[in-house]
Amino acid sequence: MNRPRFNIPLRNQKKTMSKPAKKRPKSSKPVVDEIEVACKNLRDEALKYMKVRNFNKALGLYDQALEMNTNDQSALVARSKCYLQLGEPAKALQDAETALLLDKTNIRAIYQKAEALYYLGQFEHSLMFFHRGLRLRPELASFRLGVQKTQEAIENTIGSNAKNQPPQKKAPKVDKPKSAKKPPLTREELDKRAARRLLGDLYVDKEYLENLLKHPDLKKADTNTEGVSEFAKDAINFLNNRQEFWRQQKPCTSLNSKKLNGNNGAMPRW
Protein backbone atom coordinates (compact mmCIF):
# COMPACT_ATOMS: atom_id res chain seq x y z
CA MET A 1 0.00 0.00 0.00
CA ASN A 2 1.46 3.32 -1.06
CA ARG A 3 1.65 5.99 1.64
CA PRO A 4 1.06 9.61 0.80
CA ARG A 5 4.07 11.89 0.93
CA PHE A 6 3.99 15.04 2.96
CA ASN A 7 6.46 17.92 2.69
CA ILE A 8 7.51 18.47 6.27
CA PRO A 9 9.65 21.61 6.75
CA LEU A 10 12.89 21.07 8.54
CA ARG A 11 13.27 22.98 11.79
CA ASN A 12 16.91 23.81 11.26
CA GLN A 13 16.50 24.84 7.63
CA LYS A 14 17.25 28.53 7.14
CA LYS A 15 15.11 30.62 4.90
CA THR A 16 17.08 32.29 2.11
CA MET A 17 16.10 35.82 1.29
CA SER A 18 17.45 37.75 -1.70
CA LYS A 19 19.36 40.88 -0.73
CA PRO A 20 18.53 44.10 -2.64
CA ALA A 21 21.25 45.13 -5.09
CA LYS A 22 23.33 48.14 -4.11
CA LYS A 23 22.64 51.23 -6.10
CA ARG A 24 25.67 52.62 -7.88
CA PRO A 25 26.31 56.28 -7.34
CA LYS A 26 25.42 58.29 -10.37
CA SER A 27 28.34 59.93 -12.09
CA SER A 28 28.46 63.73 -12.12
CA LYS A 29 30.17 63.80 -15.52
CA PRO A 30 26.95 64.17 -17.52
CA VAL A 31 26.03 67.19 -15.41
CA VAL A 32 29.47 68.75 -16.01
CA ASP A 33 29.18 68.11 -19.72
CA GLU A 34 25.79 69.79 -19.82
CA ILE A 35 27.20 72.87 -18.07
CA GLU A 36 30.14 73.05 -20.50
CA VAL A 37 27.82 72.80 -23.49
CA ALA A 38 25.52 75.47 -22.08
CA CYS A 39 28.47 77.81 -21.41
CA LYS A 40 29.83 77.29 -24.90
CA ASN A 41 26.43 78.08 -26.43
CA LEU A 42 26.26 81.30 -24.41
CA ARG A 43 29.79 82.29 -25.48
CA ASP A 44 29.01 81.60 -29.13
CA GLU A 45 25.86 83.67 -28.95
CA ALA A 46 27.72 86.49 -27.19
CA LEU A 47 30.39 86.46 -29.89
CA LYS A 48 27.73 87.19 -32.50
CA TYR A 49 26.71 90.30 -30.57
CA MET A 50 30.37 91.32 -30.22
CA LYS A 51 30.76 91.23 -34.01
CA VAL A 52 27.82 93.64 -34.46
CA ARG A 53 29.17 95.82 -31.59
CA ASN A 54 26.22 95.15 -29.29
CA PHE A 55 28.52 94.91 -26.28
CA ASN A 56 25.86 95.27 -23.58
CA LYS A 57 23.96 92.26 -24.88
CA ALA A 58 27.17 90.26 -25.13
CA LEU A 59 28.13 91.23 -21.59
CA GLY A 60 24.85 89.83 -20.23
CA LEU A 61 25.48 86.49 -21.93
CA TYR A 62 29.03 86.30 -20.59
CA ASP A 63 27.66 87.00 -17.11
CA GLN A 64 25.25 84.07 -17.48
CA ALA A 65 28.06 81.76 -18.57
CA LEU A 66 30.20 82.72 -15.58
CA GLU A 67 27.27 82.25 -13.19
CA MET A 68 27.10 78.64 -14.39
CA ASN A 69 30.88 78.12 -14.24
CA THR A 70 33.02 80.70 -12.45
CA ASN A 71 36.21 78.99 -13.68
CA ASP A 72 35.38 79.31 -17.38
CA GLN A 73 38.63 80.88 -18.62
CA SER A 74 37.28 81.48 -22.14
CA ALA A 75 34.32 83.42 -20.74
CA LEU A 76 36.60 85.44 -18.42
CA VAL A 77 38.92 86.44 -21.27
CA ALA A 78 36.01 87.24 -23.59
CA ARG A 79 34.26 89.34 -20.93
CA SER A 80 37.53 91.18 -20.30
CA LYS A 81 37.64 92.11 -23.98
CA CYS A 82 33.99 93.18 -23.80
CA TYR A 83 34.70 95.42 -20.79
CA LEU A 84 37.49 97.15 -22.74
CA GLN A 85 35.06 97.88 -25.55
CA LEU A 86 32.66 99.37 -23.01
CA GLY A 87 35.40 101.62 -21.60
CA GLU A 88 35.82 99.81 -18.27
CA PRO A 89 39.49 98.76 -18.17
CA ALA A 90 39.50 98.17 -14.40
CA LYS A 91 36.89 95.41 -14.70
CA ALA A 92 38.71 94.07 -17.76
CA LEU A 93 41.90 93.84 -15.71
CA GLN A 94 40.09 91.97 -12.92
CA ASP A 95 38.75 89.31 -15.31
CA ALA A 96 42.16 88.87 -16.94
CA GLU A 97 43.87 88.44 -13.55
CA THR A 98 41.24 85.89 -12.48
CA ALA A 99 41.92 83.87 -15.63
CA LEU A 100 45.68 84.03 -14.95
CA LEU A 101 45.14 82.70 -11.43
CA LEU A 102 43.61 79.61 -13.05
CA ASP A 103 46.36 79.33 -15.67
CA LYS A 104 49.34 81.70 -15.58
CA THR A 105 50.36 80.67 -19.13
CA ASN A 106 46.99 81.56 -20.69
CA ILE A 107 48.27 83.61 -23.63
CA ARG A 108 44.92 85.33 -24.24
CA ALA A 109 44.65 86.36 -20.59
CA ILE A 110 48.20 87.77 -20.71
CA TYR A 111 47.29 89.85 -23.76
CA GLN A 112 44.09 91.12 -22.13
CA LYS A 113 45.94 92.09 -18.95
CA ALA A 114 48.53 93.99 -20.99
CA GLU A 115 45.77 95.79 -22.90
CA ALA A 116 43.86 96.66 -19.72
CA LEU A 117 46.98 98.05 -18.06
CA TYR A 118 47.68 100.11 -21.18
CA TYR A 119 44.22 101.70 -21.10
CA LEU A 120 44.62 102.35 -17.37
CA GLY A 121 47.77 104.34 -18.14
CA GLN A 122 50.10 101.86 -16.40
CA PHE A 123 52.44 101.73 -19.37
CA GLU A 124 55.47 100.21 -17.61
CA HIS A 125 53.47 97.23 -16.32
CA SER A 126 51.70 96.91 -19.66
CA LEU A 127 55.05 96.75 -21.43
CA MET A 128 56.21 93.95 -19.16
CA PHE A 129 53.18 91.79 -19.95
CA PHE A 130 53.47 92.47 -23.67
CA HIS A 131 57.07 91.29 -23.43
CA ARG A 132 55.99 88.24 -21.42
CA GLY A 133 53.53 87.28 -24.14
CA LEU A 134 56.16 87.89 -26.82
CA ARG A 135 58.55 85.63 -24.94
CA LEU A 136 55.96 82.83 -24.79
CA ARG A 137 54.66 83.28 -28.34
CA PRO A 138 57.27 85.20 -30.38
CA GLU A 139 55.41 84.47 -33.64
CA LEU A 140 52.38 86.59 -32.65
CA ALA A 141 52.53 90.08 -34.16
CA SER A 142 49.90 91.40 -31.71
CA PHE A 143 52.42 91.36 -28.86
CA ARG A 144 55.03 93.12 -31.00
CA LEU A 145 52.52 95.85 -31.84
CA GLY A 146 51.66 96.11 -28.14
CA VAL A 147 55.34 96.57 -27.26
CA GLN A 148 55.72 99.30 -29.87
CA LYS A 149 52.66 101.30 -28.88
CA THR A 150 53.51 101.03 -25.17
CA GLN A 151 57.08 102.19 -25.77
CA GLU A 152 55.77 105.18 -27.72
CA ALA A 153 53.38 106.01 -24.88
CA ILE A 154 56.23 105.90 -22.33
CA GLU A 155 58.45 108.04 -24.54
CA ASN A 156 55.66 110.57 -25.02
CA THR A 157 55.10 110.71 -21.27
CA ILE A 158 58.80 111.24 -20.56
CA GLY A 159 58.98 113.78 -23.38
CA SER A 160 56.09 115.82 -21.97
CA ASN A 161 57.79 115.90 -18.56
CA ALA A 162 61.01 117.08 -20.17
CA LYS A 163 59.21 119.98 -21.85
CA ASN A 164 58.15 121.33 -18.45
CA GLN A 165 61.77 121.56 -17.31
CA PRO A 166 63.73 124.80 -17.90
CA PRO A 167 65.79 124.74 -21.08
CA GLN A 168 69.45 123.98 -20.63
CA LYS A 169 72.23 125.79 -22.42
CA LYS A 170 73.74 123.82 -25.24
CA ALA A 171 77.45 123.40 -25.32
CA PRO A 172 79.13 125.17 -28.23
CA LYS A 173 79.95 122.93 -31.12
CA VAL A 174 83.57 122.25 -31.80
CA ASP A 175 84.46 121.89 -35.45
CA LYS A 176 86.49 118.80 -36.07
CA PRO A 177 89.28 119.00 -38.57
CA LYS A 178 88.32 117.45 -41.88
CA SER A 179 91.56 115.54 -42.14
CA ALA A 180 90.98 113.76 -38.81
CA LYS A 181 90.53 110.00 -39.14
CA LYS A 182 87.70 108.17 -37.46
CA PRO A 183 88.80 106.41 -34.30
CA PRO A 184 88.64 102.61 -34.36
CA LEU A 185 85.44 101.05 -33.02
CA THR A 186 85.49 99.90 -29.44
CA ARG A 187 84.62 96.39 -28.31
CA GLU A 188 81.23 97.58 -27.04
CA GLU A 189 80.34 99.19 -30.37
CA LEU A 190 81.34 96.04 -32.24
CA ASP A 191 79.14 93.95 -29.94
CA LYS A 192 76.22 96.30 -30.55
CA ARG A 193 76.61 96.03 -34.30
CA ALA A 194 76.74 92.24 -34.11
CA ALA A 195 73.66 92.16 -31.86
CA ARG A 196 71.80 94.48 -34.25
CA ARG A 197 72.54 92.15 -37.17
CA LEU A 198 71.48 89.05 -35.22
CA LEU A 199 68.35 90.38 -33.51
CA GLY A 200 67.09 92.62 -36.28
CA ASP A 201 63.98 94.51 -35.13
CA LEU A 202 64.20 92.90 -31.69
CA TYR A 203 67.42 94.83 -30.98
CA VAL A 204 65.37 98.00 -30.54
CA ASP A 205 63.35 96.27 -27.80
CA LYS A 206 66.49 95.04 -26.09
CA GLU A 207 68.13 98.48 -26.17
CA TYR A 208 64.96 100.07 -24.83
CA LEU A 209 64.78 97.63 -21.90
CA GLU A 210 68.43 98.18 -21.04
CA ASN A 211 67.87 101.95 -20.97
CA LEU A 212 64.69 101.43 -18.94
CA LEU A 213 66.66 99.65 -16.21
CA LYS A 214 68.92 102.71 -15.94
CA HIS A 215 65.97 105.13 -15.55
CA PRO A 216 65.96 106.73 -12.07
CA ASP A 217 62.15 106.56 -11.75
CA LEU A 218 61.99 102.80 -12.35
CA LYS A 219 61.98 101.99 -8.63
CA LYS A 220 58.68 103.85 -8.26
CA ALA A 221 57.06 101.45 -10.72
CA ASP A 222 58.16 98.39 -8.72
CA THR A 223 55.52 97.12 -6.29
CA ASN A 224 55.33 94.34 -3.74
CA THR A 225 53.44 92.06 -6.11
CA GLU A 226 55.17 92.75 -9.41
CA GLY A 227 58.60 94.22 -10.03
CA VAL A 228 59.05 95.96 -13.34
CA SER A 229 62.80 95.52 -13.04
CA GLU A 230 62.47 91.75 -12.78
CA PHE A 231 60.25 91.58 -15.85
CA ALA A 232 62.70 93.74 -17.79
CA LYS A 233 65.64 91.53 -16.77
CA ASP A 234 63.73 88.40 -17.80
CA ALA A 235 62.99 89.90 -21.21
CA ILE A 236 66.65 90.91 -21.70
CA ASN A 237 67.82 87.41 -20.75
CA PHE A 238 65.39 85.95 -23.24
CA LEU A 239 66.69 88.23 -26.02
CA ASN A 240 70.30 87.40 -25.12
CA ASN A 241 69.55 83.69 -25.38
CA ARG A 242 67.88 84.18 -28.76
CA GLN A 243 70.85 86.24 -29.92
CA GLU A 244 73.28 83.46 -28.95
CA PHE A 245 71.07 80.86 -30.63
CA TRP A 246 70.93 82.82 -33.91
CA ARG A 247 74.69 83.46 -33.72
CA GLN A 248 75.35 79.72 -33.58
CA GLN A 249 72.86 78.95 -36.34
CA LYS A 250 73.59 81.77 -38.80
CA PRO A 251 76.49 83.95 -37.67
CA CYS A 252 76.36 87.65 -38.56
CA THR A 253 72.92 87.42 -40.13
CA SER A 254 69.83 89.33 -39.17
CA LEU A 255 66.46 87.97 -38.23
CA ASN A 256 64.02 87.77 -41.10
CA SER A 257 61.34 90.25 -40.17
CA LYS A 258 58.90 88.72 -42.67
CA LYS A 259 58.64 85.62 -40.52
CA LEU A 260 57.68 87.72 -37.51
CA ASN A 261 55.14 89.87 -39.31
CA GLY A 262 53.88 87.25 -41.75
CA ASN A 263 50.42 85.75 -42.16
CA ASN A 264 50.90 83.54 -39.09
CA GLY A 265 51.54 86.49 -36.81
CA ALA A 266 47.94 87.27 -35.92
CA MET A 267 46.47 86.49 -32.53
CA PRO A 268 44.34 83.31 -32.51
CA ARG A 269 40.62 83.84 -32.84
CA TRP A 270 38.80 83.90 -29.50
Side-chain angles (χ1 to χ4, degrees):
M1 185 175 179
N2 295 330
R3 296 180 180 179
R5 295 179 179 179
F6 299 97
N7 294 328
I8 302 174
L10 298 176
R11 294 180 180 179
N12 296 330
Q13 184 178 1
K14 296 181 179 180
K15 295 182 181 180
T16 59
M17 297 180 64
S18 59
K19 297 181 179 180
K22 295 182 178 180
K23 295 183 179 180
R24 296 181 179 179
K26 294 182 180 180
S27 176
S28 60
K29 187 176 181 179
V31 179
V32 175
D33 292 340
E34 291 179 1
I35 294 176
E36 291 180 355
V37 171
C39 290
K40 184 179 182 304
N41 292 335
L42 289 170
R43 294 198 308 268
D44 292 343
E45 187 177 356
L47 183 59
K48 296 179 182 179
Y49 286 105
M50 290 285 288
K51 291 180 179 179
V52 297
R53 304 186 65 81
N54 190 347
F55 303 120
N56 290 316
K57 186 68 176 179
L59 180 62
L61 294 171
Y62 288 134
D63 290 340
Q64 294 179 28
L66 288 170
E67 286 177 1
M68 299 178 67
N69 182 9
T70 56
N71 295 332
D72 189 345
Q73 297 183 40
S74 298
L76 285 169
V77 172
R79 192 172 71 172
S80 174
K81 185 178 181 180
C82 185
Y83 274 134
L84 279 182
Q85 296 294 336
L86 290 171
E88 299 185 27
K91 293 182 179 180
L93 177 62
Q94 185 177 359
D95 278 349
E97 289 179 337
T98 303
L100 287 174
L101 289 176
L102 299 172
D103 182 8
K104 63 181 181 180
T105 61
N106 188 325
I107 196 68
R108 295 177 298 170
I110 292 174
Y111 180 81
Q112 283 303 128
K113 183 170 183 177
E115 282 285 286
L117 289 169
Y118 176 83
Y119 284 104
L120 285 170
Q122 301 180 23
F123 302 126
E124 292 84 0
H125 282 78
S126 176
L127 180 63
M128 294 303 104
F129 279 93
F130 276 127
H131 271 295
R132 178 184 294 184
L134 186 62
R135 185 168 65 252
L136 294 175
R137 297 289 298 276
E139 75 278 7
L140 296 180
S142 299
F143 286 108
R144 287 192 53 77
L145 294 174
V147 169
Q148 292 176 5
K149 72 177 183 180
T150 310
Q151 287 179 353
E152 292 176 359
I154 294 174
E155 291 172 359
N156 292 334
T157 303
I158 295 175
S160 61
N161 293 335
K163 291 180 180 179
N164 297 328
Q165 297 179 358
Q168 299 179 357
K169 294 183 179 181
K170 295 182 179 180
K173 294 183 179 180
V174 179
D175 296 333
K176 296 182 180 179
K178 296 181 180 180
S179 60
K181 295 182 179 180
K182 294 182 179 180
L185 297 176
T186 62
R187 180 65 181 177
E188 183 179 358
E189 291 174 344
L190 291 174
D191 291 341
K192 285 184 177 181
R193 288 192 175 186
R196 190 179 291 107
R197 287 195 298 270
L198 291 168
L199 291 175
D201 294 338
L202 291 176
Y203 178 78
V204 179
D205 300 333
K206 178 185 176 183
E207 189 176 28
Y208 176 82
L209 290 172
E210 291 175 345
N211 293 331
L212 182 64
L213 288 176
K214 299 176 184 178
H215 199 279
D217 295 335
L218 182 63
K219 293 182 179 180
K220 297 179 181 179
D222 292 335
T223 61
N224 296 329
T225 57
E226 293 175 352
V228 178
S229 302
E230 294 299 326
F231 290 139
K233 291 177 182 178
D234 291 343
I236 292 174
N237 291 334
F238 167 75
L239 293 173
N240 288 333
N241 292 335
R242 298 306 300 175
Q243 176 182 338
E244 180 64 19
F245 171 77
W246 287 320
R247 185 186 67 80
Q248 295 176 3
Q249 296 295 323
K250 295 180 180 180
C252 298
T253 57
S254 61
L255 180 64
N256 189 357
S257 60
K258 293 182 180 180
K259 293 183 179 179
L260 290 176
N261 299 325
N263 296 329
N264 295 329
M267 282 290 290
R269 295 185 65 183
W270 299 353

